[in-house]
Structures are given as structure tokens and as C-alpha cells.
Amino acid sequence: MYDSIYISLEEASLLEKISYHNILMRIQRKPEKYNIKKEPSLQGGKDRTLIAVSSLSEKAQALYKKKLKLEEPKDNINIEEWYINIDINWYKANYNKNFKEALERFNIVERLFNEDRLKPKILAEELNVTERNARRVIDKYLNALQIIEQKQDWDTDFSYLKVLALAKKVKVTESFYILTEEMKAFLENGYYEKDFLLNNNPLTNLYDDFVKWCEDKGIEQIPHYNTIRRYIQHIKEQDGSGATVLASKGTRAWKNSHMMKRFRDTKALKVLEIVQGDVHTFDCWVSVKRANGSLEAIRPCLVAWIDMRSRALVGWVITECPDAQIMKQSLIHTIYPKANKELPYGVPKYLLIDNGKEYTAKTLTGRARTERVCFDEDAKGFYRSIGIKDDIRSLPYQPWSKAQVERYFSTVEMKFGKRMKSYTGTLTGSKTSGKVQRDIKKMLEKGQLLTIEDFAEKFENWVVTEFHNKKHRGLIRQGEQTTEPITVFNNADKYVQAPPPLQYAISLLMKGETRVVTNTGVRRTIKGKEVWYTNPELTKYQAKRVEFKYHTEDITKIFVYDENGKFICEAISYELLHISPKLSEDALIEHIKDQKRQQQQTNETIKNRRKTYEERQLDIEEAGKKLVAPTISDEELKTVAFVNDNRFKEDTKVKQKELKISHKDIKESSKEIAEDYLQRLGAEVFDRIS
């Protein structure tokens, strides 16, 4: 029975209740009576002598049997324990505390077992428990040994079962035998009903409906609430949290939080090959000065262009409310060098943008906003005019396609925005705790808000000193040798495209419209006011459609072109010249508003004398949008792109013919136009323009 079980001579002497020397002498006198074997010692040195239990006396064998609590082996033994089919990794992940306690208990039991000291009294002292509990631990351990022995023919190590045998028992599966299939279907339908989840209904409401349903069905034995709660928890664990989000909040929320996404390998790109653009509204406040001298608190907007390979901020502007015209200005500040030599620049190959109207205006893309792609080579637009090959649009409501720029905005708020005294918390935050209570109106009155110009200066300094020169975790994951954005931008392979002359780029900022020429000239409508532009050359084009362009900073004149893009003339509005020799569109709008306001105030004075002064001031509106951008460098570009634009060529020829001045004077004249225009944008320009 015990022929295959060997024990040490020390343990055998304890079972026989004789000394170690006596049992050794017995073996030497009658070696044929004892079944012994040798095995190497774990500590090295002399081999260890083991004796079979079957060679001992019957009394010693009975003591050994009592010690191990073993019965005679049976052919059809069926051992069932809760931990037999448990995955050890699953138990560690879900019941880590229980597993650590079981491991400590196992180390003590295993040590005592190897030392032949596994006795209830000794174990009770080691574990600091009663002898009764210690005896139960020994029984569990010995039972696990028996289970491992039954599984020893398999090519798997089941030694971990000894640890699980000493662990706290957990309920692995829920049978829910009291719930019929019809009950389960009712509970699942009720829980996954959209309004139930969307309104954050408690499970007690579902249980109330379940009780009513059972009463209508005539069911006498209604399951308890705890059973329903455990069943709902069971199906939530089976289905995952994504099912609840999809059922309650819809596909868009599920895609954002739970849809599987792949890691994008941006290291395969060149620097400036793809630049991502987006707009972010800061969570802090600044002050802007209006045309009438009053101050107003606003949340500034950041128009940012992020290089996808290096994560460097290639260009940006800080403005009040971005539109297509401001997008043009932000790209001009992206492709040309800045006065601050540490700021990167360059012409991108592709732009990755969303479907916002400020990015997809026809003047920018050369195609209708509803067209995501265009195969017409003649469709140019502002992007292609300045050297950008094409724009790529991300799909609506999928911000992960522009992950780099979205992640950058998060960094901006965390590392820059939260350092502002006027920070009021996230604009779109769902938690009340995410808001910061500030009296912005009072801060504005006390002059505690930064001006938008000072704010932009601080932001530029933060970009240069902090963001561009600190290690970027995205670049670390990407496996870049250097992980600072500006270092990657300067050293990695770069897409190179020469920008057009700055004079041409500025001319692209002019707005354009199409009109039919009448006998009184070309008509424009500005805020409901009709303005006529005339020139004798237009008499040849009566009843024909022409195109014209104009600077928003000087609308007293327009530049008229025929349908083929040939320059016709420069038309003048003599009505506007009576107001000012040089008038901006914003100034005219303000002038028209003043006239209407004067008439309205007079009528209100006559009709109702009870109107308060504050109510009369509500019609005062802003004079124009503020915009602050990095200063363009005075460095002369070595190379510029060749401009294949008939209008630009015609403008140059007309100016040469009319003014009859040298090429040098033309450059000086162009310089004055550019300086005057950019100074109105709040930027300093360089002294030499190529």
C-alpha cells in the first residue's frame, strides 16, 4: 500500500518512537527487511537515505495514516473542489487580497510540511488561529495534494492548487435557478431600454416593474430584489460597459470611449508631410479693447497647426472668433519664418482638418463645402495657392483621427491655461467640480485680466521654453531617438516646399465677389447699405458678369477682373471717399450702425421717454475681431515659389504702366502695402520683401 511512499529516517524514527541511531542500526543489521533508497541532498554533501513506509511496523504505518488523513485509494475516486477549474490569473486579478493571504498561509504550511512539523498545535501558533481552524487548513492542504496526485499524468503543473486550496472560497458562477428564461428576458429588456439607462433609473424601479409583471402573470414565488440585483450585475459583467454606453448614449459616444482603435505609426511620415489644424477655446478670460474704448472680457480662441510627425506647433494665432479669413492669416504665419528664430515654420504637404465651416470655405479649398474630395485640377483655393498640395478631412464626430492636435489642446489647458488667474474651468465639463468660481466682471473692472496681446506673448514664451523643449510621451512611444518636438522637427527628414512671395500671399487675403456691371457701375451691399463703384473702363462690360476683390482694410476701391481673370480696372466709391480717404469694412459697418443708431435713438426718444440709459447702450457692438499672431521675421527668403496667377501678374503690369517707376520702387510700394496691412492686424513686418 505504501511501497511507493518514502520518508526520511528522522520521520521514521518519530513514527516508530525510537531514536535515529536505533533505526539506523536496525537497517544495518537486517538490510533485506527494509526498503530503502538514496537521493541527493538539496543542500549538497552526503546523499539522503529514505525508507519506504511499508517497511515500518504496523503501528508506525497507522500513525503515518492518521497524520496524513489518507484513506485507502479507490479506483473510481471523484474529487470535486471549488478551485479545481479556477484560472489562477483570474483569481489574482479579481481577488488579489485573498490571494496574498492564501500565499502567506501556504508558505507557512509548506515549510512545516517539509520539516515534518505539520501539526495543528504548531500551525495554530504560526497562523495565530485556534487548533480547530489549523486542523481545517491541514485538511485542505492534504486534500490538494491528493488532487494533484490524481492529475499527475497530465503534462501540466498543478502545484498552484495548493495555494488556491488555502484561499478564501469565491462563487465562480451564478446559476440563478429561481429565474425562468421568461423572467430573464423581461429583466434584460427592461434594463437595456434606452430611456431606463439614459435617465439613470435605479434598479428598484426595474424591480417594481418586475413585481407587477409577475403578479399579472400569476407567479406566486417572486424572486427577491437581491437576486435581481445580482443578475443585472452578472449580465453587465458578461456584456461589458460598452454595451450600456451604446444602448443609452448612442453610437457616437460608444465610438469615442469603447470602439477599438489602432495605433497610428507617425514615424513613417516626414516632418511637415501632414499638419493637423483645429480651434480650441481657452478656459480662461482675457480683456479686449473695443473701438469705442470700452473693455470686454472674452474667452480667447487658439487656431493651432500641429506637425503630425514631430508634434511641434508650426503656426498659430490667438483670436476672438475664427473664420475663413483668420484661417488664411494663421497659415501665412505658419509657412513664413517668424521673428523668434526658435519657432518652426514651413509649407505643409497636406492639411488634416475637420469639416468646420471656417476650414472648408470654398475660398480655402476651391470646392464646395459638401465635397470632401475634388478631382478638378482647376479648383485651386487658398490652400493650393500658397503651396499646400491638398487638404484631408476627418470624418464628423471622430476626434481620434486628429489625435495629436486634440491631445495638444489637453496639454495646453493642463500646463498653461490652469496657470492663469482668470481660469474658470473646462467649458464643456460635465462635473460641477470641474468649474472654478471667478468674478470675471469684477476682475475686468479692477484691471486684473491680461490683455489679449499680453496673453499671446505669454503663450509664445510657453511654447518655446516649455512645450517644444520637453520630452513628449507620444514621441517616446513612437520610438524616436530624440523626444523633444523641436529637436525632431529640426533633425528628422523634412518635406520641403518653397512658399510663394509674401506679397502674393498677402494679396490672397483679399475677399472676392461676383457681380453684373450696370450703367452705374458695380454694386456691393454692406450691412444693408448699397455702395456703388465706378470707372470708365466698366462701360465696356455693361450687363456682363465680372469678379472683383477688395481689402477689408480699405473698401473705398475694388479691383475688377473679367471671367478669364484678366485685370480690367480699379473702381472707386466716391460716396465712401466723402467719409474717409481710406476706410475699412469694419469702420464702414460701424458708421452705418451709428447712422441707424442715431435714427433709432431719436425715434425712441420721441415714442418712449422712459427708456433707461443702460438699455440705450445695448446696441453698441464690437468694431472688429482681435487677432494676435507670432511676428513675421525680417529675414529674406532664399527661394520662393513661382506664382502662376494671371491676376497677380496683371496687377504688377498695371502698376508698372500707371506709375512708371523702377522695379526697386515697386518693391518699396509693395512693402508699404504689406506693412500697412499687417500693422492693422497687430503684427510687425520685416524691412525687406523679396
Side-chain angles (χ1 to χ4, degrees), residues 105-117:
R105 199 177 297 120
F106 164 76
N107 291 332
I108 297 173
V109 174
E110 183 85 347
R111 175 172 54 81
L112 294 176
F113 181 80
N114 293 333
E115 295 174 356
D116 299 326
R117 297 171 54 229

Side-chain angles (χ1 to χ4, degrees), residues 547-599:
E547 297 180 3
F548 65 89
K549 301 185 80 174
Y550 60 94
H551 280 294
T552 57
E553 297 301 314
D554 183 11
I555 58 170
T556 59
K557 57 186 175 182
I558 61 174
F559 304 93
V560 187
Y561 304 84
D562 63 14
E563 293 182 343
N564 298 322
K566 182 180 178 182
F567 179 77
I568 299 176
C569 65
E570 181 180 296
I572 303 296
S573 172
Y574 294 97
E575 178 185 2
L576 297 182
L577 286 178
H578 288 304
I579 302 174
S580 173
K582 195 171 186 180
L583 184 68
S584 70
E585 184 174 347
D586 290 335
L588 175 63
I589 293 173
E590 191 68 20
H591 174 69
I592 296 172
K593 287 180 180 179
D594 288 340
Q595 292 176 332
K596 292 183 178 180
R597 192 179 301 117
Q598 180 186 11
Q599 182 181 3

Side-chain angles (χ1 to χ4, degrees), residues 523-534:
R523 175 182 58 84
R524 277 194 66 207
T525 303
I526 305 175
K527 283 290 181 180
K529 179 179 178 62
E530 290 188 349
V531 180
W532 292 89
Y533 297 86
T534 59

Side-chain angles (χ1 to χ4, degrees), residues 43 189 314 381 391 422 462 622 645 654:
Q43 289 78 22
N189 293 340
V314 187
D391 61 279
S422 60
W462 174 81
E622 62 186 68
D645 191 312
V654 168

Side-chain angles (χ1 to χ4, degrees), residues 185-387:
F186 177 85
L187 292 172
E188 292 170 8
N189 293 340
Y191 178 74
Y192 277 110
E193 201 266 326
K194 182 177 181 180
D195 290 335
F196 181 85
L197 292 173
L198 194 60
N199 296 344
N200 295 322
N201 275 279
L203 287 181
T204 53
N205 289 356
L206 178 61
Y207 183 70
D208 292 341
D209 296 340
F210 176 71
V211 171
K212 293 179 182 178
W213 179 81
C214 289
E215 292 174 349
D216 294 340
K217 289 284 185 178
I219 299 174
E220 297 181 357
Q221 188 179 2
I222 300 176
H224 193 268
Y225 168 75
N226 289 336
T227 303
I228 305 304
R229 178 183 56 79
R230 286 188 288 105
Y231 180 69
I232 295 300
Q233 186 64 30
H234 172 69
I235 64 173
K236 286 172 63 177
E237 292 176 356
Q238 280 190 329
D239 300 343
S241 58
T244 304
V245 174
L246 182 61
S248 59
K249 299 181 180 179
T251 305
R252 186 189 307 175
W254 176 81
K255 286 183 176 181
N256 285 338
S257 58
H258 289 83
M259 187 178 72
M260 181 181 66
K261 304 174 182 67
R262 294 187 181 275
F263 183 73
R264 179 182 286 166
D265 182 17
T266 58
K267 195 174 180 181
L269 297 173
K270 291 183 178 181
V271 171
L272 290 175
E273 188 169 355
I274 299 180
V275 170
Q276 298 179 5
D278 208 345
V279 177
H280 172 70
T281 302
F282 283 98
D283 296 331
C284 54
W285 296 76
V286 298
S287 66
V288 293
K289 191 173 184 179
R290 300 304 183 191
N292 58 4
S294 63
L295 294 177
E296 183 179 346
I298 66 166
R299 285 181 184 262
C301 292
L302 171 65
V303 180
W305 298 98
I306 296 287
D307 175 50
M308 199 165 170
R309 167 68 186 276
S310 65
R311 273 65 162 188
L313 186 62
V314 187
W316 78 90
V317 297
I318 294 177
T319 182
E320 182 174 352
C321 185
D323 55 18
Q325 191 70 7
I326 289 178
M327 291 303 134
K328 293 181 180 180
Q329 297 167 10
S330 69
L331 282 171
I332 287 180
H333 288 281
T334 298
I335 66 176
Y336 291 101
K338 290 90 170 171
N340 189 338
K341 303 299 181 182
E342 298 183 23
L343 294 175
Y345 66 93
V347 180
K349 185 176 183 180
Y350 297 104
L351 294 181
L352 179 56
I353 56 177
D354 57 27
N355 207 39
K357 61 182 180 181
E358 65 270 17
Y359 286 100
T360 56
K362 190 173 182 180
T363 57
L364 297 175
T365 62
R367 60 182 184 272
R369 185 168 178 260
T370 54
E371 300 176 15
R372 290 187 174 273
V373 295
C374 182
F375 301 99
D376 186 2
E377 295 296 333
D378 295 331
K380 198 167 187 181
F382 180 79
Y383 293 151
R384 291 179 177 84
S385 297
I386 61 174

Side-chain angles (χ1 to χ4, degrees), residues 44 99 276 350 407 423 508 561 574 576 601 616 631 638:
F99 179 79
Q276 298 179 5
Y350 297 104
R407 181 65 182 85
Y423 180 80
L508 295 175
Y561 304 84
Y574 294 97
L576 297 182
Q601 289 175 348
R616 297 176 187 179
T631 306
K638 296 180 179 179

Side-chain angles (χ1 to χ4, degrees), residues 652-679:
T652 305
K653 291 180 181 179
V654 168
K655 290 177 180 178
Q656 288 178 337
K657 183 177 179 180
E658 291 181 352
L659 301 177
K660 295 181 181 180
I661 56 178
S662 65
H663 179 66
K664 179 178 179 181
D665 294 334
I666 293 177
K667 290 179 66 179
E668 293 297 326
S669 176
S670 300
K671 168 193 168 184
E672 292 176 359
I673 295 173
E675 282 182 344
D676 179 67
Y677 185 74
L678 289 180
Q679 283 175 357

